[in-house]
Amino acid sequence: MSKPHLIIDTDPGVDDALALLMAHAHGHVHALTIAAGNVGLDHTVRNALTLMDLIGADTPVHPGCPVPLVQAPSEDAALVHGADGFGDVGFPEPKRTAESESAALALIRLSHAHPGATLVALGPLTNVALAVRLDPTLPSRVGRFVIMGGAVNGHGNTLSTPAEFNIGFDPEAAHVVFEAFPAFELVDWEATVRHAFEGVQFDRWLENGDARAEFYARIGATSRAWNARRGRTGVIAADALAMAVALDPELVQRAEAHPVMVEMVGARTRGMTVVDWEARLDRPANARVVFDVDMRRFEALVARALGVPDTAI
């Protein structure tokens, strides 16, 4: 498998951290552009820098927009990820500093510098929306666009039930992006629940990995405990699944192309991803919705990114 060239928009976040470990283990990462989402922008930027310190990467980190495009979000995910987004472990201040160039401008520049690269969006789509508003030609320079977001059958993970967190955090941004990009790959929340790791297996990886596994075990304890209290079995790694699709397109076993839109005004459905399953609206199929992946290949990508030897996978 050749290493893809990646530009990653992210809001670290525990599961973002796992995805970023995967990206740096298996791909060429040109930059991280940082969104607010799981927690506030100060924390997500700091977390990205902390992770780059851990793995010794010189990947540029570009801070993005600290708020959604239009409305304030109804919730963040601090209850899941910890108040600081990294499990409230209390890491020292990172050695690295963030870039002065903002995320939206960096996305535009990077699309010119690395045409054909894969853009991976792991958080709310605010930065990407701003970038395409500033430069509507940006989608023409993106080779693949993989989005972790949505809940195509309405089984979301927000207070408004049908919405998934990333889309629900900034529905207007998601609407802008879904309308601007003629084709993207959507890895939704429901798919990530179906592809959860067995807890015992994941613990074995953490025990057999290197410093990356130790780090992830520390930051992941809070989110795993939160999921367990709500009856969610296994380890749900949403952003890791999207990253696996970006890194290894051939692991996708079932996907369908459909028109996908975003609800922005519903009293109970704001942020919902609406799929035109039967093509009734005469709209182009903009989204390739991923349903099933090869679990063994997914597991191998994650385990190796945690430093687990092949004999222990």
Side-chain angles (χ1 to χ4, degrees), residues 77-93:
L79 285 175
V80 183
H81 297 268
D84 69 353
F86 265 10
D88 296 324
V89 171
F91 293 106
E93 284 297 315

Side-chain angles (χ1 to χ4, degrees), residues 9 21 54 80 134 140 153 226 259 288 295:
D9 192 72
L21 290 174
L54 169 75
V80 183
L134 289 169
S140 68
N153 292 300
W226 191 90
R288 180 174 180 256
M295 197 65 189

Side-chain angles (χ1 to χ4, degrees), residues 18-277:
L18 183 56
L20 295 177
L21 290 174
M22 295 167 63
H24 283 84
H26 306 297
H28 298 287
V29 184
H30 294 293
L32 306 179
T33 57
I34 308 301
N38 284 322
V39 288
L41 186 68
D42 287 347
H43 286 306
T44 56
V45 171
R46 183 179 187 272
N47 292 344
L49 294 169
T50 296
L51 188 58
M52 294 306 99
D53 280 352
L54 169 75
I55 61 178
D58 59 0
T59 308
V61 173
H62 296 268
C65 187
V67 294
L69 291 184
V70 179
Q71 296 188 25
S74 60
E75 57 182 313
D76 64 15
L79 285 175
V80 183
H81 297 268
D84 69 353
F86 265 10
D88 296 324
V89 171
F91 293 106
E93 284 297 315
K95 300 174 184 177
R96 291 268 313 280
T97 57
E99 306 296 315
S100 59
E101 183 183 36
S102 67
L105 294 178
L107 286 168
I108 295 169
R109 176 181 57 78
L110 290 161
S111 73
H112 284 282
H114 306 285
T118 297
L119 175 60
V120 187
L122 303 176
L125 291 166
T126 314
N127 293 331
V128 183
L130 287 171
V132 298
R133 280 293 192 246
L134 289 169
D135 182 0
T137 69
L138 186 151
S140 68
R141 295 186 297 277
V142 173
R144 295 175 63 212
F145 184 21
V146 180
I147 298 173
M148 190 282 123
V152 297
N153 292 300
H155 298 278
N157 61 338
T158 69
L159 295 176
S160 63
T161 302
E164 176 273 332
F165 178 82
N166 286 343
I167 305 300
F169 187 90
D170 194 345
E172 284 77 17
H175 168 73
V176 168
V177 171
F178 283 24
E179 294 291 312
F181 279 82
F184 54 88
E185 294 163 73
L186 191 68
V187 181
D188 81 323
W189 171 251
E190 296 162 19
T192 67
V193 174
R194 290 195 301 273
H195 293 87
F197 301 116
E198 293 182 0
V200 173
Q201 175 192 49
F202 199 83
D203 286 337
R204 186 171 67 250
W205 295 343
L206 295 180
E207 292 168 2
N208 286 279
D210 58 20
R212 292 168 291 181
E214 180 184 356
F215 171 85
Y216 195 76
R218 295 178 70 192
I219 69 172
T222 298
S223 62
R224 292 184 69 178
W226 191 90
N227 281 320
R229 289 194 296 272
R230 278 147 187 82
R232 292 175 180 166
T233 59
V235 177
I236 300 171
D239 293 332
L241 182 60
M243 187 57 69
V245 170
L247 291 167
D248 183 8
E250 294 183 2
L251 64 68
V252 176
Q253 294 181 323
R254 185 168 72 94
E256 296 177 6
H258 293 284
V260 179
M261 297 146 282
V262 179
E263 175 60 59
M264 293 179 286
V265 297
R268 294 289 182 269
T269 57
R270 175 171 161 79
M272 181 178 181
T273 39
V274 181
V275 184
D276 184 6
W277 294 109

